[in-house]
Amino acid sequence: MTAARPWPLGVDGIIYGGDYNPEQWPREVRLEDIELMREAGVNLVSVAIFAWATLEPREGEYDFAWLDEVMDHLADAGIKVALATATASPPPWLTRAHPEILPVTEDGTVLGQGGRQSYAVSSPLLREYALRMTRVMAERYGEHPALALWHVDNELGCHVPHDYSDHAATAFRAWLERRYETIDVLNAAWGTAFWSQRYDSFEEILPPRAAPTYANPTQQFDFARFSSDELLTHYRALRDVLREVTPQVPATTNFMLSSATKWMDYFSWAGDVDLVANDHYLIAADERGQIELAMAADLTRGAAGGDPWILMEHSTSAVNWQPRNRAKGRGEMLRNSLAHVARGADGVMFFQWRQSRAGAEKFHSAMVPHGGRDTDVWRNTVGLGRALEALAPVHGSRVLNRVAIVVDYPSWWAAELDSHPTQHLRYSEELLRWYTALWDLGVGVDMVPTGVDLTGYELVIAPTLYSVTDEDAGLLADAARSGTQVVITFFSGIVDEHDHVRLGGYPGAFRDLLGVRTEEFYPLQEGEILHLDDGTAADLWSEKTHLEGAEAVRTWADGPLRGWPAVTRQEVGEGAGWYVAARPSAEGLETLVGEIVAAAGVEASVSGLHRDVEAVRRFAEDGTTYLFVLNHSDRDQVVQVSGRDLLSGTDADGAFTVHAGSAAVVQES
Ligand code: GAL
């Protein structure tokens, strides 16, 4: 475990609040807001995220009166503010005067004014305006007693992860020159001998804009890396102004770590924020959405290096942007919130405080709904405030696991590029499948990046680690030698960091660790199912794998590869390397993961629970443990535990019932 970073927020206990957009409301409503925030126990609100056009209605003319008053009222009420740089949506006067700051899509479409985030992140002029606005905010509010945290921009890259404008082209070239230094090195890295793509100078290079056919894969790969770096560069530029003017105030921005967001490599961003903050929204159509939520929360803790983090946004009930926006069921919002806390969040916040009356998000739930106080949503808001107050002692404690899943954004980008054996591989789906199998066994997981020491884990799973450096492959082999069960799945170790195939047989980088050699892939057609020799099904993928030291754990029972290995295992030092050259069904994966977990000697955090009951422990430095039991099922669950349930204030001594749909947080004795 790495040394904990000091918690930068001067709020005792657990943070509670949401995005607060007072610019949408008249003064009397803002006054009522303060009363309601007190009633709910809110202690932090994010303010002015989309207020640029209200704060600076004309270039260089500012209207701060309303925000001054809001800040003062919040300070008087003891409510802290995560104040935004207000740069997330440039005002119409700016894009009208300088349409060249607008972002451009792959096919040349200019994304205009009227929504939000209509800026090209590489535009020097946009940068200049955003820096100026940031400085104005920092100078005006830097000493304000309500200010606790800077909220830089908002969900950088949310709508425009990739900009293909001329500004982007210029910045991409500069980024490439830093990476490769000479055009010859770039030509070698990009494999430009192929299809007459040789470049004679950096000036000839463009972003991978719409082309007659597949753009150069390494160009696409590097453009993904560049785009993530470019958004981070923008963050850093704004953050540096804040650090200069207000060195005493911590700064962050809201990440979007989940299975749905692939383009920002947050592991590489996390070192630049003073506190990791994440936004997460449930996939309403997913009946077991709590599993993806848990994975996202574990991923956020991974980005935070195990330190506590805050959930900056989620929803009290429905969102407005999915095809069918389901309202949350009884107890669901509390369970969702506590699931994040269980997995290391020391703050729970929402988009947004008061549900909008107008605009694109008026049907998005909030803490104060359209219906006012006599609603389930408001009662839930108040109820959560009480619950989080009771959980104050949990603050600062940590989650410890013996199993890790390796997550690598560059592999996510590269594995899903075009012109591959199958277009139907989804990296995050593979992560979630393995995560779900472990969830069903009640086993806690850390989601960790590549490039870190893994020897402390009993079990490490690297799903589809397609692009890997020799060093990172070496870290997985080191773990196996030291006693870890290391699992590598299909389409891993295939290419180096330039997307060049590792020759001599697949899975290139892992052949020695795994003791196998694959000669050819046999991807399956849509709907095609094969079986393994344990009778379970597999889809999407198969490959012709020779054993070169490993033994077969499963073989193909039908299809052209009948009798060939589908899952293998090789002893390595004190541990082992497992290769899963198939994509087993959920049932097949659960059995297999059961065997692997047993080989690793890992057990459920609490045994014997229904699979939809989530049990997670947080460990405090003084030895106190907090057991979160979240019952997502429709039946009561009896748990063997002793201690005090902080939520109900009752003592648990032995068999303790957590009712269907409800939650308990037991301070164990
Ligand atoms: C987030 C965004 C918020 C709000 C929310 C709605 O992506 O940061 O401003 O739009 O989604 O779910």
Side-chain angles (χ1 to χ4, degrees):
M1 193 159 62
T2 51
R5 277 199 271 189
W7 185 246
L9 290 181
V11 174
D12 289 333
I14 307 284
I15 300 289
Y16 184 42
D19 283 13
Y20 180 36
N21 299 305
E23 64 274 27
Q24 296 175 14
W25 298 98
R27 188 162 185 274
E28 62 275 13
V29 176
R30 296 179 199 163
L31 293 176
E32 188 199 40
D33 284 335
I34 303 286
E35 291 315 307
L36 292 176
M37 284 179 195
R38 286 180 123 141
E39 184 180 337
V42 163
N43 54 26
L44 184 77
V45 286
S46 306
V47 181
I49 295 175
F50 297 103
W52 193 347
T54 313
L55 289 170
E56 190 182 5
R58 283 160 297 279
E59 180 162 3
E61 281 180 39
Y62 298 97
D63 174 11
F64 284 116
W66 65 273
L67 185 54
D68 291 350
E69 189 184 82
V70 166
M71 293 289 285
D72 291 350
H73 286 165
L74 288 166
D76 292 346
I79 298 164
K80 295 285 179 192
V81 173
L83 189 61
T85 51
T87 52
S89 199
W93 57 256
L94 176 50
T95 51
R96 176 161 178 258
H98 299 289
E100 68 274 20
I101 72 161
L102 294 170
V104 178
T105 62
E106 192 180 4
D107 64 3
T109 306
V110 176
L111 299 176
Q113 182 62 250
R116 64 174 174 186
Q117 213 172 74
S118 46
Y119 65 77
V121 73
S122 308
S123 154
L125 196 67
L126 175 273
R127 177 75 50 84
E128 202 182 302
Y129 275 95
L131 290 178
R132 188 188 309 163
M133 189 59 191
T134 301
R135 186 173 294 276
V136 165
M137 294 295 282
E139 285 174 348
R140 184 159 194 104
Y141 297 106
E143 301 291 328
H144 198 283
L147 179 65
L149 178 67
W150 286 115
H151 179 107
V152 175
D153 209 86
N154 190 64
E155 289 190 346
L156 286 149
C158 166
H159 304 299
V160 192
H162 293 169
D163 163 45
Y164 296 80
S165 68
D166 289 342
H167 303 302
T170 307
F172 185 37
R173 284 179 209 123
W175 184 94
L176 290 167
E177 275 203 72
R178 286 195 297 277
R179 182 173 174 86
Y180 295 112
E181 290 179 4
T182 71
I183 199 70
D184 290 345
V185 179
L186 177 139
N187 277 311
W190 284 19
T192 56
F194 182 82
W195 280 355
S196 182
Q197 292 173 349
R198 182 187 170 278
Y199 292 98
D200 204 48
S201 75
F202 283 95
E203 280 63 54
E204 292 171 0
I205 296 176
L206 292 169
R209 292 177 178 155
T213 184
Y214 308 119
N216 180 303
T218 316
Q219 178 190 13
Q220 295 188 61
F221 195 9
D222 274 347
F223 191 66
R225 289 183 170 116
F226 154 77
S227 299
S228 174
D229 285 359
E230 193 65 359
L231 290 159
L232 174 60
T233 301
H234 190 57
Y235 166 82
R236 281 183 181 149
L238 304 187
R239 190 264 334 258
D240 287 351
V241 169
L242 300 169
R243 279 204 179 151
E244 179 202 323
V245 183
T246 60
Q248 73 286 4
V249 183
T252 192
T253 188
N254 41 350
F255 294 174
M256 294 174 280
L257 289 143
S258 84
S259 64
T261 302
K262 101 182 205 191
W263 293 119
M264 278 67 71
D265 180 356
Y266 290 122
F267 286 121
S268 76
W269 290 36
D272 278 286
V273 295
D274 293 314
L275 154 87
V276 167
N278 198 47
D279 295 349
H280 183 268
Y281 291 92
L282 268 190
I283 302 156
D286 179 355
E287 275 174 25
R288 302 183 79 202
Q290 64 266 16
I291 303 179
E292 195 280 334
L293 181 159
M295 185 175 87
D298 287 337
L299 186 56
T300 309
R301 188 181 65 257
D307 289 343
W309 48 279
I310 59 176
L311 177 67
M312 191 64 112
E313 288 181 23
H314 71 147
S315 67
T316 56
S317 193
V319 298
N320 63 307
W321 45 265
Q322 294 181 16
R324 293 171 188 233
N325 297 299
R326 179 175 71 76
K328 289 191 179 177
R330 197 154 166 260
E332 192 176 357
M333 183 274 249
L334 179 71
R335 293 196 310 278
N336 293 164
S337 299
L338 296 183
H340 288 285
V341 178
R343 294 167 191 281
D346 272 1
V348 176
M349 300 178 71
F350 292 93
F351 174 82
Q352 62 176 325
W353 163 252
R354 184 183 282 274
Q355 188 168 11
S356 297
R357 212 183 157 177
E361 294 184 316
K362 57 186 173 297
F363 295 116
H364 192 295
S365 62
M367 298 169 82
V368 183
H370 288 155
R373 296 176 81 254
D374 187 12
T375 54
D376 289 343
V377 166
W378 175 250
R379 282 183 281 274
N380 291 339
T381 296
V382 175
L384 176 60
R386 298 289 165 277
L388 296 179
E389 257 164 47
L391 295 187
V394 172
H395 168 63
S397 58
R398 294 163 80 88
V399 180
L400 306 173
N401 288 311
R402 301 168 68 205
V403 177
I405 292 180
V406 175
V407 183
D408 184 53
Y409 283 90
S411 275
W412 190 344
W413 304 333
E416 294 184 5
L417 284 174
D418 50 41
S419 53
H420 273 192
T422 175
Q423 281 304 299
H424 290 236
L425 170 70
R426 291 289 166 272
Y427 179 84
S428 66
E429 216 174 283
E430 298 309 311
L431 296 179
L432 190 55
R433 288 166 56 81
W434 284 86
Y435 187 91
T436 301
L438 289 160
W439 165 290
D440 284 338
L441 293 168
V443 172
V445 183
D446 286 349
M447 307 293 284
V448 300
T450 49
V452 299
D453 176 16
L454 297 164
T455 55
Y457 289 105
E458 307 296 334
L459 166 60
V460 172
I461 300 169
T464 306
L465 192 57
Y466 167 75
S467 160
V468 69
T469 60
D470 294 343
E471 296 74 43
D472 291 349
L475 288 165
L476 283 150
D478 289 348
R481 274 191 292 274
S482 79
T484 308
Q485 302 292 310
V486 174
V487 180
I488 307 286
T489 83
F490 67 93
F491 215 41
S492 287
I494 305 297
V495 298
D496 64 12
E497 59 270 41
H498 302 305
D499 199 31
H500 292 203
V501 170
R502 292 168 175 277
L503 302 179
Y506 317 119
F510 298 114
R511 275 180 46 208
D512 290 345
L513 164 65
L514 303 172
V516 297
R517 179 175 56 86
T518 287
E519 57 172 289
E520 197 172 1
F521 304 131
Y522 287 64
L524 307 192
Q525 295 304 311
E526 193 135 30
E528 189 182 350
I529 300 283
L530 292 180
H531 291 88
L532 306 182
D533 62 349
D534 67 346
T536 62
D539 69 353
L540 190 76
W541 193 268
S542 64
E543 58 187 36
K544 190 171 193 174
T545 305
H546 299 265
L547 298 174
E548 294 190 346
E551 52 176 338
V553 175
R554 302 276 193 279
T555 56
W556 293 103
D558 47 27
L561 299 173
R562 188 159 180 268
W564 284 82
V567 179
T568 67
R569 179 173 191 273
Q570 170 173 257
E571 308 242 327
V572 180
E574 304 290 302
W578 301 66
Y579 185 45
V580 183
R583 198 172 94 128
S585 64
E587 183 203 358
L589 199 57
E590 194 177 336
T591 325
L592 179 62
V593 171
E595 289 167 32
I596 298 171
V597 161
V602 174
E603 283 166 8
S605 30
V606 176
S607 60
L609 299 182
H610 183 279
R611 63 175 53 209
D612 286 326
V613 177
E614 183 176 358
V616 184
R617 271 197 185 82
R618 283 184 65 161
F619 298 79
E621 228 166 34
D622 67 1
T624 312
T625 57
Y626 301 94
L627 176 66
F628 288 69
V629 184
L630 311 175
N631 188 347
H632 304 286
S633 82
D634 54 9
R635 21 183 166 130
D636 293 354
Q637 174 74 57
V638 176
V639 191
Q640 293 300 324
V641 64
S642 53
R644 187 171 185 76
D645 174 21
L646 298 175
L647 296 182
S648 62
T650 54
D651 287 328
D653 188 12
F656 184 72
T657 302
V658 181
H659 294 290
S662 73
V665 181
V666 181
Q667 181 168 341
E668 294 176 293
S669 47

